[in-house]
Amino acid sequence: MPTESKNVIVGTAGHIDHGKSALVEALTGTHPDRLEEEKRRGITIDLGFAFLEEEDVRFGFVDVPGHERFVSNMLAGAAGVDLVVLVIAADESIKPQTREHFDICRLLGVKRGVVALTKSDLVDADTLGLVHLEIEEYLHGSFLENAAIVPVSAKTRAGLAEFKSELHRAALEAPGKNSARYFRLPIDRSFAIKGFGAVVTGTLISGSVGVGDEVELFPERKRLRVRGVQSGGKSVDRALAGQRTAVNLAGIEHTALQRGMVLAPPGKFRTSRRLDARINLLPSAAKLKQHDQVHFHLGPSETIAKIHFYGGNDLLPGQSAFVQLRLQSEMLALPGDRFIVRQFSPITTIGGGEVLDALARRPLTRDTGRVAFLEILERGNRAESLAAMVERAPLGLALEDIVARSGWLDSEVRDAARALGSSGQVKIVSSEPLLLVPAKIFTDVQQNVAAKVETFHKENPLVPGITRENLRSSLGRRVRTETFRAALEELVAQKKLETQGEIIKRAGATVSLDPEEARTKLQIETAFAGAGLTVPAVKEVLGGLPVEAKRAERILQILLREKVLVRVTPELIFHRDALSQLRAHLGSYKKTKGDRISVPVFKELTGITRKYAIPLLEYLDRERVTRRAGDERVIL
Ligand SMILES: Nc1nc2c(ncn2[C@@H]2O[C@H](COP(=O)(O)OP(=O)(O)O)[C@@H](O)[C@H]2O)c(=O)[nH]1
Ligand SMILES: [Mg+2]
C-alpha cells in the first residue's frame, strides 16, 4: 500500500502566533518547533517538519515561521509545497504576514490549499462569521477562491476532523510530483548523526533517490555516495518525489553542506549565474527599474540578483515582463522553477516568477530574437521549445547540452528530436551521440562544402581533389567536425561529390590537361625514361620546360601520383621502367651468382656511381627487394 499512496507536501502559511505550529501538532502529534530557542521563546524561527498518513495519502508537513524577520526561512520551506494550509486566527483575522505568505504561495504557483480559521475557541459565532466573510473576500479571484475555510481549535480540537477530511480532499486534487524525472533534492537542513556522518534533508521535488546512488552536489559539483535514505521519518531504499527526504552522505563533512545546495544526478546539470525568466511584480510593490538589485530566492537557495529587462526600462506594480536575472552566486536552476524576489532594502516580498532558460547567455542588443524565444519556452511544447533552442545554436546542441538546459529525460529529448528531424525543422547530424543543428545552418554548410570543392578544382585543375583535412579547415571553427562529416556524407550520397581515400572531388571530376600541359607531361616522362638509372636533377628537368615552375611541379606530381615516376629520395626521381629493369637485373644476378651482392659489384652491374647506388639500395631495402647484411646486400 505505501508505494501506491500519494505523496503530498503541505506547507503552513500565515501570521505569527496564529496557531500554525499548534495546528500541525494537533494534526500529526508532532510539535514542529525543534530548536532550543524556539521552545524557549515559543515561536517558530526555522522550518519544522511532521508526518501524517491518512488512508492513501502520505503528508509531509513543512511548518514555517510567521515572523517577518524569518521570511527567508519561510521561503526555503514554501518551495516544493503542493498544498498550503493558510492559517488565520479567528481573533486577529488577516495580518501582514498572512498577506505576504499568501502572495508568496501565489507567486510560487501553489495550486491547492485549505484555510484553517484557528483559535475558534477564542471568539463567538458572530465574530467567526465576520472573519469568515473577510477571508472569502480576501481570497476572491485567487487559487484559494473555492478552498474550504474550516474553523478549528487546537485547544479544544473542535473542527479538526472536518479539517483533516478537507485536507485529504485537497491532497487528492493537488498535482503531484513526478518520480520518473531526474531527481533534485534542494537541501534545507544539514547536520551530523554520530556514527553516520553527514545528513541533509529536503523536499524531493522530482525523481527518486536511493541507497548506493551516486549524486552530485551543486553548486560545488562534488560527486558523493548515498549511504542511507529516510522518508517520512523511516529508513527506505528509495525516496520518491513529493516526500520529505533525509539523505545520509558518504565522503563529506556535514559542515561543508548548507541550506540552498542541491543534490542531483551526477553529470546531468550545470550551474548558472544568468537566468532568463518571467517576473511578476505584486500590485503592492514599488516599480522595478532596469538594473535594480533584489534578493532572489529559488527554493532554499538565495542570492542577490540584478534585473535586466528585455525591452522597456521598468516594470510597474501588478505587471509582468521577461527579464534576465544576473545572480551574484552560481545556482542550479531548471526551466519551470519558481522563484521569489524581495526588495533590496527595506526587505519585503515584491514579486516572483518562473525560470524559462536557466543557462541564458548575456543579453546582447544584436540578439533581437530573445523575447520571441522566451515566449516559445514559456508557452511551447517540448518539440517547439527544442526547435527554438536549436535554432539559436548555430554550432548545434548535443544531448547533454539539451538535458542540462531543460531537465528533460534523455528519452524525451530523443523523441522530440526525432519528430523535429523527420519534419525537417532540425538536422540530426549524428544520433549517437545525439547532435542537432539548425536545418538552415546544415544546408549552408553543405552548400559551402560543395562550393569549396568547386573552387578548389577551379584553382587546381591539375590536382584530382582537395584533401579532407584542408576542406574541413577551410570551413573554420564555426562548423563542428560532426556537421562537416554529415554534410560531406550527404553530398556523396547525393552523388554530388566523390571521395577517394582522403581526397574529395566533384563527382566525375578528372584532371584535364590542355595540349601544352600534355606535351610538358610527356617531356618530363621522356627526360626520366631516357636517363635510365643515371637520372638528371629534378630542378634541371623542370627548369628546361616551356611552362612556369608551379605548373611544371603540378604535372610532375601527376606523374608521381600515377606512379609513372617514383621518388626515391627528395632529390632523386626515377622512371618506373628503369626501376623494374633494375629488379630484373638483380633477379638474374641472383640466379647466376648467388644472393649476395656488395656495393662495388652493384655499381658495376648497374653502371652507376655511388651517388645513385646508395639511395637506390636503400630504396630496394625499403621495398624488400634486398636486405642489408653487413657490407653486403642479400637479394630476397
Ligand atoms: N486558545 C487557543 N490557543 C491556541 C490555538 N492554537 C494555538 N494557540 C496558541 O497560540 C500561540 C501561538 O501558537 P503557535 O502554534 O506557536 O503559532 P504560530 O506562530 O502560528 O506557529 C500558542 O501559545 C498556542 O498555544 C487554539 O486553537 N486555541
Ligand atoms: Mg510556529
Side-chain angles (χ1 to χ4, degrees):
M1 199 268 273
T3 43
E4 286 143 35
S5 52
K6 185 167 181 176
N7 294 294
V8 176
I9 301 291
V10 182
T12 57
H15 201 71
I16 185 164
D17 260 352
H18 277 206
K20 295 181 292 299
S21 300
L23 179 62
V24 170
E25 185 182 23
L27 291 167
T28 66
T30 306
H31 198 288
D33 286 350
R34 54 195 166 78
L35 304 175
E36 205 42 58
E37 187 185 354
E38 290 176 324
K39 287 177 186 146
R40 195 175 66 244
R41 290 168 63 184
I43 66 161
T44 307
I45 295 170
D46 205 346
L47 303 174
F49 309 98
F51 305 102
L52 178 68
E53 252 186 90
E54 275 281 290
E55 296 168 49
D56 48 354
V57 180
R58 296 212 281 179
F59 293 97
F61 281 86
V62 179
D63 182 42
V64 306
H67 197 291
E68 61 175 319
R69 275 188 44 218
F70 305 131
V71 173
S72 65
N73 288 344
M74 180 271 175
L75 286 170
V81 156
D82 301 305
L83 193 62
V84 63
V85 170
L86 183 62
V87 171
I88 303 173
D91 60 339
E92 287 201 336
S93 192
I94 296 159
K95 301 282 278 184
Q97 268 65 55
T98 319
R99 295 178 192 280
E100 186 167 16
H101 284 193
F102 184 58
D103 283 339
I104 288 168
C105 291
R106 273 195 290 192
L107 292 165
L108 290 176
V110 178
K111 296 276 183 310
R112 286 277 184 284
V114 183
V115 181
L117 189 46
T118 51
K119 305 197 184 183
S120 62
D121 57 291
L122 293 184
V123 297
D124 56 28
D126 285 354
T127 313
L128 204 61
L130 212 62
V131 176
H132 201 291
L133 282 175
E134 262 180 51
I135 296 172
E136 268 182 357
E137 196 184 316
Y138 175 61
L139 298 178
H140 184 73
S142 77
F143 74 96
L144 286 185
E145 177 161 30
N146 298 312
I149 302 172
V150 186
V152 288
S153 168
K155 195 173 174 191
T156 66
R157 302 190 68 82
L160 274 181
E162 191 197 340
F163 184 82
K164 250 189 201 176
S165 79
E166 288 297 345
L167 195 64
H168 187 257
R169 202 157 63 93
L172 294 180
E173 288 168 0
K177 294 183 167 64
N178 193 339
S179 295
R181 309 206 66 79
Y182 289 124
F183 103 90
R184 273 193 301 158
L185 182 73
I187 296 171
D188 51 35
R189 261 195 315 158
S190 73
F191 49 89
I193 295 181
K194 250 206 164 92
F196 287 93
V199 175
V200 294
T201 71
T203 296
L204 192 52
I205 57 172
S206 78
S208 71
V209 60
V211 180
D213 286 359
E214 191 191 20
V215 298
E216 186 167 352
L217 177 71
F218 289 92
E220 298 3 68
R221 312 225 54 179
K222 234 191 173 122
R223 306 272 175 113
L224 301 168
R225 180 74 54 189
V226 173
R227 198 190 275 163
V229 178
Q230 287 200 345
S231 74
K234 285 179 227 133
S235 286
V236 291
D237 286 338
R238 289 202 88 73
L240 305 176
Q243 293 178 334
R244 285 294 307 169
T245 303
V247 175
N248 180 204
L249 292 167
I252 194 162
E253 289 287 318
H254 85 277
T255 47
L257 295 158
Q258 277 163 24
R259 170 174 291 179
M261 293 177 178
V262 180
L263 294 181
K268 287 290 178 198
F269 299 134
R270 300 172 194 164
T271 57
S272 164
R273 290 173 70 163
R274 292 183 186 277
L275 311 179
D276 277 349
R278 157 78 66 190
I279 195 168
N280 303 297
L281 199 57
L282 288 172
S284 57
K287 100 176 160 194
L288 200 55
K289 298 191 296 296
Q290 181 78 314
H291 301 155
D292 270 354
Q293 289 206 317
V294 294
H295 296 278
F296 176 82
H297 297 256
L298 186 130
S301 319
E302 66 172 284
T303 187
I304 289 166
K306 195 161 103 179
I307 306 258
H308 174 92
F309 289 110
Y310 289 117
N313 272 342
D314 40 44
L315 185 61
L316 298 175
Q319 305 280 303
S320 95
F322 288 130
V323 289
Q324 175 157 106
L325 296 152
R326 174 85 168 92
L327 310 183
Q328 209 170 69
S329 45
E330 298 273 332
M331 255 187 211
L332 172 60
L334 285 177
D337 285 354
R338 298 287 190 140
F339 61 85
I340 295 292
V341 292
R342 307 192 77 211
Q343 188 167 275
F344 196 71
S345 168
I347 304 180
T348 54
T349 300
I350 54 172
E354 184 178 347
V355 175
L356 298 170
D357 183 358
L359 299 175
R361 267 175 289 174
R362 149 204 316 272
L364 292 171
T365 8
R366 68 181 143 84
D367 180 10
T368 49
R370 183 85 62 121
V371 167
F373 173 59
L374 294 175
E375 267 161 13
I376 294 172
L377 293 186
E378 186 174 44
R379 284 203 288 270
N381 60 26
R382 192 170 292 142
E384 288 161 346
S385 297
L386 181 57
M389 275 189 242
V390 174
E391 189 67 38
R392 289 172 59 82
L395 265 175
L397 287 179
L399 177 67
E400 64 266 25
D401 302 325
I402 301 166
V403 170
R405 196 142 168 224
S406 64
W408 302 330
L409 298 173
D410 290 20
S411 56
E412 292 170 335
V413 175
R414 285 183 189 282
D415 288 348
R418 210 169 300 122
L420 293 172
S422 47
S423 71
Q425 280 170 280
V426 307
K427 175 67 193 173
I428 303 176
V429 150
S430 145
S431 41
E432 204 58 62
L434 187 68
L435 179 65
L436 308 179
V437 167
K440 165 87 174 67
I441 296 271
F442 187 72
T443 313
D444 288 353
V445 171
Q446 264 187 317
Q447 278 168 4
N448 208 351
V449 167
K452 287 264 153 64
V453 172
E454 206 49 49
T455 310
F456 184 88
H457 280 311
K458 210 161 278 162
E459 286 172 0
N460 305 276
L462 303 183
V463 182
I466 185 169
T467 63
R468 183 182 289 263
E469 198 182 318
N470 284 346
L471 181 57
R472 199 265 160 271
S473 65
S474 73
L475 299 173
R477 284 192 308 172
R478 304 290 295 157
V479 177
R480 289 204 213 203
T481 301
E482 296 93 325
T483 310
F484 163 67
R485 203 180 299 140
L488 191 58
E489 266 169 30
E490 269 191 25
L491 289 165
V492 170
Q494 292 163 4
K495 305 227 182 309
K496 290 184 178 148
L497 298 182
E498 269 172 24
T499 60
Q500 251 169 24
E502 285 303 292
I503 300 290
I504 290 140
K505 59 179 195 177
R506 185 199 326 114
T510 49
V511 173
S512 55
L513 302 183
D514 63 26
E516 193 187 24
E517 287 159 346
R519 231 176 302 125
T520 307
K521 190 181 173 198
L522 192 62
Q523 229 172 320
I524 298 174
E525 186 184 345
T526 316
F528 286 101
L533 292 177
T534 336
V535 290
V538 177
K539 252 194 216 140
E540 205 177 286
V541 176
L542 298 191
L545 296 173
V547 300
E548 79 270 24
K550 221 171 156 190
R551 261 165 95 205
E553 177 64 38
R554 285 201 193 115
I555 296 167
L556 175 71
Q557 292 302 329
I558 296 173
L559 286 161
L560 287 167
R561 216 164 31 237
E562 289 172 351
K563 298 195 167 55
V564 172
L565 299 182
V566 178
R567 200 187 277 279
V568 165
T569 72
E571 286 81 32
L572 287 179
I573 288 176
F574 294 83
H575 195 275
R576 65 174 163 207
D577 292 348
L579 292 172
S580 53
Q581 249 172 44
L582 174 60
R583 285 174 195 237
H585 253 103
L586 285 171
S588 49
Y589 176 92
K590 184 180 171 183
K591 259 181 218 148
T592 54
K593 308 251 171 61
D595 65 355
R596 300 230 156 203
I597 185 165
S598 66
V599 176
V601 175
F602 178 75
K603 278 165 65 186
E604 211 182 287
L605 181 78
T606 53
I608 54 177
T609 60
R610 204 176 167 78
K611 174 181 147 199
Y612 297 107
I614 300 297
L616 274 173
L617 279 169
E618 284 168 358
Y619 163 75
L620 292 170
D621 290 346
R622 287 199 300 275
E623 293 285 303
R624 305 203 185 287
V625 176
T626 56
R627 175 163 53 79
R628 195 170 173 160
D631 285 342
E632 293 187 330
R633 290 295 195 292
V634 177
I635 303 166
L636 299 169

